[in-house]
Amino acid sequence: MIRPATPADVPALHTLIRELADYEKALEEAKATPDQLHEALFGPHPAAHAHIATDDTTDEPVGYAIWFLNFSTWRGVHGIHLEDLYVRPTARGAGHGKALLTELARLCVERGYARLEWAVLNWNTPTIAFYESIGARPQSEWTTYRLTDEALTTLGTGTQGTGK
């Protein structure tokens, strides 16, 4: 079953996010707290949305999708950027990942959004094969860039190249 997350799901979401970070060999980078997650999803100005995949027999969360709206200047409409898609290893192969993506695609169609986009680590070949099996194609003509930590602070405070 796929359903929108509720505030009561924040502890489970936090646990699942840390499991994903561990799977992606980056647990030390997963610094978000449950309070931050709650604020981002359910605060007065939500920055993101989440859906939960639950086990059919126990109703326990086994996966999640966290997403937010993006905007295509070329298409003139919103799209969905899927930040995280994760299903616990013990629940893989039961259709939860596809069901989460299907729900997001349904939202795109229902709301007139032009795109559903996400990124995947190059080494994650089982996931790449899954995405390609549902018709997703890599966008190889684009390279993702990211500013974080010291580089972000340096640029954002104007101290780059000033000798400070």
Side-chain angles (χ1 to χ4, degrees):
M1 183 172 101
I2 305 301
R3 62 174 174 76
T6 68
D9 292 315
V10 168
L13 277 169
H14 187 257
T15 297
L16 290 165
I17 288 167
R18 292 192 54 80
E19 288 178 20
L20 171 61
D22 190 41
Y23 174 76
E24 291 184 349
K25 303 172 177 76
L27 184 57
E28 68 285 350
E29 295 179 40
K31 298 176 182 179
T33 67
D35 287 342
Q36 288 174 314
L37 190 57
H38 185 276
E39 182 69 18
L41 295 172
F42 305 108
H45 304 286
H49 309 275
H51 281 77
I52 300 285
T54 59
D55 181 275
D56 293 337
T57 56
T58 66
D59 204 36
E60 291 297 314
V62 295
Y64 73 97
I66 292 184
W67 57 276
F68 56 87
L69 294 179
N70 57 21
F71 183 79
S72 169
T73 57
W74 290 14
R75 298 280 186 106
V77 296
H78 284 294
I80 287 178
H81 177 82
L82 176 59
E83 179 66 17
D84 284 352
L85 176 71
Y86 177 72
V87 175
R88 284 188 163 140
T90 56
R92 291 181 188 155
H96 299 295
K98 185 174 182 182
L100 285 162
L101 286 170
T102 299
E103 177 59 13
L104 297 184
R106 186 194 68 75
L107 288 173
C108 286
V109 171
E110 177 183 281
R111 297 175 184 181
Y113 299 164
R115 297 177 178 156
L116 171 57
E117 297 178 323
W118 62 91
V120 62
L121 291 165
N122 292 334
W123 59 259
N124 195 345
T125 54
T127 301
I128 291 168
F130 164 65
Y131 291 150
E132 290 182 355
S133 78
I134 62 167
R137 296 294 173 252
Q139 301 298 297
S140 59
E141 67 272 14
W142 293 91
T143 299
T144 301
Y145 282 83
R146 179 178 293 158
L147 277 172
T148 61
D149 304 323
E150 185 178 333
L152 179 63
T153 301
T154 299
L155 185 61
T157 59
T159 58
Q160 184 176 23
T162 63
K164 293 183 182 178

